[in-house]
Amino acid sequence: GVDYLNGVYSAYDRTRLQADIQPYLDWAAANQVPLLVGEFGAMATAPGNSRNNLIADKISLMNEAGLHWTLWTYRALTPNFGLYTGEQLDEGLAGILRLGLSQ
């Protein structure tokens, strides 16, 4: 997690992500409605593999919960949330999306 405007960072893992989405899953189950995660992602400038790890965990949890989801940005001019930056494909993210879409 990051509040990059204020320089505040916190660690996220699968357990914390599950805890974050559980109230919404409970609400959807109680109201018998599907959920759509209309935008999600992680900054391309995140250190190391943290971006890919976070996105992979999010997709895995959303798929397990039967949620519908879309990545925040397909193409961007600068490195941010996109699958592409200009014409450059983020191969790591593309692989994660392929796997997530096949589950």
Side-chain angles (χ1 to χ4, degrees), residues 29-51:
N31 291 282
Q32 299 178 351
V33 296
L35 291 179
L36 165 67
V37 180
E39 294 179 347
F40 79 97
M43 294 294 291
T45 55
N49 287 327
S50 60
R51 176 187 195 210

Side-chain angles (χ1 to χ4, degrees), residues 7-71:
V8 177
Y9 303 89
S10 61
Y12 267 82
D13 61 13
R14 223 176 128 74
T15 301
R16 182 162 176 190
L17 291 170
Q18 180 66 48
D20 284 352
I21 68 168
Q22 195 59 53
Y24 305 102
L25 298 176
D26 294 342
W27 179 87
N31 291 282
Q32 299 178 351
V33 296
L35 291 179
L36 165 67
V37 180
E39 294 179 347
F40 79 97
M43 294 294 291
T45 55
N49 287 327
S50 60
R51 176 187 195 210
N52 289 348
N53 293 339
L54 183 62
I55 290 174
D57 283 346
K58 286 179 179 184
I59 289 173
S60 175
L61 287 168
M62 290 185 293
N63 284 349
E64 288 171 14
L67 302 180
H68 306 278
W69 52 265
T70 61
L71 186 67

